[in-house]
DNA sequence: GACGAGACGAGTGGATCCATTGAAGGAGCG
DNA sequence: CGCTCCTTCAATGGATCCACTCGTCTCGTC
């Protein structure tokens, strides 16, 4: 997974990065207004780089800008969230296939450790972090820059609903998730790309269908 | 296909729109430098809305920004172009499936006319325009906003190579394309979603493979 | 003659100030 | 008492000016 540099030397990139982290951490709720002045003060800059940062985040799909009105944290509705999962269902197996040949024994061992750790830890935030690490690690050896960036964006925009859903179902509701994670690691370790893609596609598909049965996540 | 408003009332949107058209029309070549001052003069605005417009185009994947250096028209390399086609190969059949139930008899008749017209007209620019119209029309009844926007972005970023390839193979080299277009319209008219998706996937896949055999398009 | 350091210039990034728009609250009329 | 219109203001959009960075050219030295 190739991540853009964003060295932090340029203010707009630094602000965009900080805001992105804040949104993914749940510090801002979807639909919440983001005032330029407030953000500028928070980052010790003028409104100008803030405006550029908001444009960057808009390109990430994390922020929605309305001309002459303002900026809000993006709020996917139920349909759009389902769309994201349908897209992921078709693209992530492709990305995994691209990455698999490059995965080292060390990578696979790390994936297994992550799967085990998130099975042990019941905390939602820990689960979210480890689950993200787990899957992105499985994609980390892919050399497909566009696809990798696209997938990461989809993960970012659905992050809030992943959290809401994880809270809703609790640790018990995640047992199938862990089972699928181990199936995935096993398939990868065997070098069985077909099976790994099938497991991954099913993993995402099942999540989408479960989400569809819990519309209260979007309330 | 849902297209963002961009009413033109706000300068940055107006500039972004104008630049997007110019890039898609081939007025700028990939890799070409885009100076803020030049663009500002062209659109009768200051450099500030130009900077925001460039950010917007960056989000469209049409422009590449480098901090403290400048902006260039995005240049996909061969690998990235192939990636775009692989992504399209998996997503456009999905989008077509979403759109098909909403397509009217009028839509389908229009598609057939477009297919016939582009078979008759040998000019490259005409072909590019009609081909784009043809496919986007087939997606036009889909209510999937994210997917629709994503597909349109992929069409935009590969537009330049579509043109270069169309020039290279000439009207004769497009005969298979027309054949596939009619297969697609027929399947849609029969309401055979499975077959339509299969034809479309093959259409995109074949194009990708043909592109891979003509690396001179990227030179 | 070639390589490296320093100065110059073009161009981008950022801050401040002004114009404009959209919304909210209050007053007046029906 | 409620609806409409107008006023007011807060927040965004845009222009100008200044600071800084990067590339290039030149001069000096080895």
């Amino acid at each position: 997974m190739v991540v853009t540099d964003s060295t932090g030397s340029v203010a707009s990139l630094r602000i965009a990065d900080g805001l992105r982290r804040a949104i993914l951490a749940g510090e801002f709720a979807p639909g919440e207004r983001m005032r330029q002045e407030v953000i500028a003060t928070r980052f010790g800059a003028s409104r100008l780089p803030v405006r550029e940062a908001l444009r960057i985040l808009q390109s990430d799909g994390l922020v929605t800008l309305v001309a002459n009105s303002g900026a809000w944290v993006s709020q996917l509705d139920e349909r759009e969230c389902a769309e994201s999962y349908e897209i992921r269902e078709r693209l992530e197996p492709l990305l995994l296939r691209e990455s698999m040949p490059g995965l080292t024994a060390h990578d696979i061992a790390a994936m297994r450790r992550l799967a085990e750790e998130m099975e042990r830890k019941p905390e939602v935030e820990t689960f979210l972090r480890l689950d993200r690490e787990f899957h992105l690690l499985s994609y980390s050896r892919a050399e497909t820059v566009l696809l990798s960036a696209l997938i990461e964006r989809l993960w970012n925009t659905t992050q809030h609903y992943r959290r809401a859903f994880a809270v809703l179902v609790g640790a018990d509701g995640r047992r199938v998730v862990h089972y699928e994670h181990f199936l995935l690691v096993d398939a990868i370790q065997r070098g069985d790309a077909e099976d790994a893609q099938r497991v991954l596609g099913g993993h995402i598909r099942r999540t989408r269908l479960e989400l569809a049965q819990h519309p209260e996540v979007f309330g």
Side-chain angles (χ1 to χ4, degrees), chain A:
Chain A
M1 174 81 50
V2 175
V3 178
T4 50
D5 273 45
S6 67
T7 50
S9 61
V10 179
S12 49
L13 296 180
R14 185 174 54 84
I15 296 173
D17 223 50
L19 287 177
R20 186 182 294 113
R21 288 172 197 279
I23 292 173
L24 293 183
E27 202 171 320
F28 295 91
E32 187 174 341
R33 178 84 181 264
M34 302 179 78
R35 288 201 170 75
Q36 296 180 2
E37 191 67 43
V38 175
I39 299 169
T41 306
R42 168 171 175 161
F43 288 93
S46 80
R47 277 175 39 228
L48 200 146
V50 172
R51 279 156 65 175
E52 301 206 349
L54 289 175
R55 293 279 186 205
I56 295 172
L57 293 177
Q58 182 185 34
S59 80
D60 292 344
L62 288 174
V63 162
T64 302
L65 291 177
V66 177
N68 284 317
S69 180
W72 288 264
V73 179
S74 284
Q75 187 165 28
L76 297 186
D77 61 25
E78 197 173 337
R79 286 191 59 93
E80 290 169 335
C81 194
E83 265 187 71
S84 292
Y85 275 88
E86 289 206 48
I87 296 172
R88 287 180 48 193
E89 187 178 330
R90 277 160 184 79
L91 295 186
E92 291 194 28
L94 171 61
L95 182 53
L96 180 62
R97 192 191 72 189
E98 293 293 321
S99 174
M100 263 188 67
L103 286 174
T104 66
H106 182 268
D107 292 331
I108 297 171
M111 283 185 67
R112 195 177 292 280
R113 274 197 305 276
L114 286 167
E116 288 166 353
E117 189 178 352
M118 77 180 113
E119 191 178 27
R120 284 198 308 272
K121 306 270 181 75
E123 298 84 12
V124 168
E125 289 303 324
T126 308
F127 167 74
L128 289 177
R129 183 172 54 79
L130 296 177
D131 184 48
R132 182 186 169 110
E133 261 185 68
F134 174 85
H135 286 285
L136 295 192
L137 177 56
S138 76
Y139 307 143
S140 62
R141 302 299 179 179
E143 292 174 354
T144 53
V145 287
L146 298 179
L147 183 57
S148 300
L150 175 56
I151 297 297
E152 194 174 356
R153 222 169 56 190
L154 290 171
W155 271 77
N156 287 349
T157 53
T158 53
Q159 167 83 345
H160 176 265
Y161 302 103
R162 293 181 58 235
R163 176 179 293 114
F165 184 64
V167 170
L168 184 72
V169 300
D172 281 349
R174 290 198 281 277
R175 270 180 295 192
V176 184
V177 172
H178 303 308
Y179 178 69
E180 289 169 342
H181 282 171
F182 287 116
L183 279 184
L184 182 59
V185 176
D186 290 343
I188 291 174
Q189 193 155 31
R190 288 198 313 274
D192 188 342
E194 289 303 318
D195 195 42
Q197 290 183 76
R198 189 163 43 242
V199 169
L200 179 59
H203 183 55
I204 298 169
R205 179 183 186 78
R206 189 190 48 69
T207 307
R208 171 170 67 80
L209 295 175
E210 278 195 23
L211 259 172
Q213 291 182 339
H214 294 280
E216 64 265 36
V217 168
F218 302 92

